[in-house]
Amino acid sequence: MANVSHGRSDITSHPDVSEMRERYARMLGGRDVALVDGPVFLLGLYCAASPWIIHYTASQPALVAHNLIMGIAIGLLALGFTRAPERMYGLSWAMCAIGIWMIIAPWVVGTSPDKGVIINNVIIGALALCLGLVCAASAAKRTPMT
């Protein structure tokens, strides 16, 4: 029988080690705010589900559709941040804009919102704004100065 087990060897003797290290460094180069992607996605999920969690589906039907659409948009931004961070972190300012919009949406979209709806959207908006600023600061830090 042939010995097919591979012993532990050092990768430094691999002929493509420099190329593999460069590729690994490039891949990790855009992941400096990887810890933000998860919370942004969870915020999008909560935003989409919040009308049913807070129970204002009957009293604010326009705000229900609004929060569902905005939650899906936040979730898609988070997936984009995860999938292609080097291309998507320019859209982190869109997260900031969504956050500001979520704060004022109960009065613009809703009809005489109650305290629970207002607090819910203000918290979602403030978190989206903060997370968007973290992503934007990271993108600005990575942009080379010319």
Side-chain angles (χ1 to χ4, degrees), residues 45-69 117 120-121 124:
L45 286 179
Y46 175 76
C47 181
S50 67
W52 293 274
I53 295 171
I54 307 296
H55 301 291
Y56 60 88
T57 54
S59 64
Q60 300 288 334
L63 207 53
V64 170
H66 171 269
N67 278 19
L68 180 63
I69 292 168
V117 172
N120 179 60
N121 272 35
I124 291 171

Side-chain angles (χ1 to χ4, degrees), residues 64-140:
V64 170
H66 171 269
N67 278 19
L68 180 63
I69 292 168
M70 296 307 286
I72 291 170
I74 292 170
L76 289 174
L77 277 174
L79 291 175
F81 291 157
T82 302
R83 181 74 178 127
E86 64 279 352
R87 287 186 272 166
M88 290 294 292
Y89 279 124
L91 288 176
S92 53
W93 291 109
M95 272 292 293
C96 298
I98 287 173
I100 293 169
W101 173 249
M102 287 299 295
I103 292 171
I104 62 172
W107 296 281
V108 176
V109 177
T111 53
S112 62
D114 63 352
K115 188 177 180 179
V117 172
I118 292 170
I119 290 173
N120 179 60
N121 272 35
V122 167
I123 290 173
I124 291 171
L127 287 172
L129 180 62
C130 291
L131 291 170
L133 288 173
V134 168
C135 290
S138 171

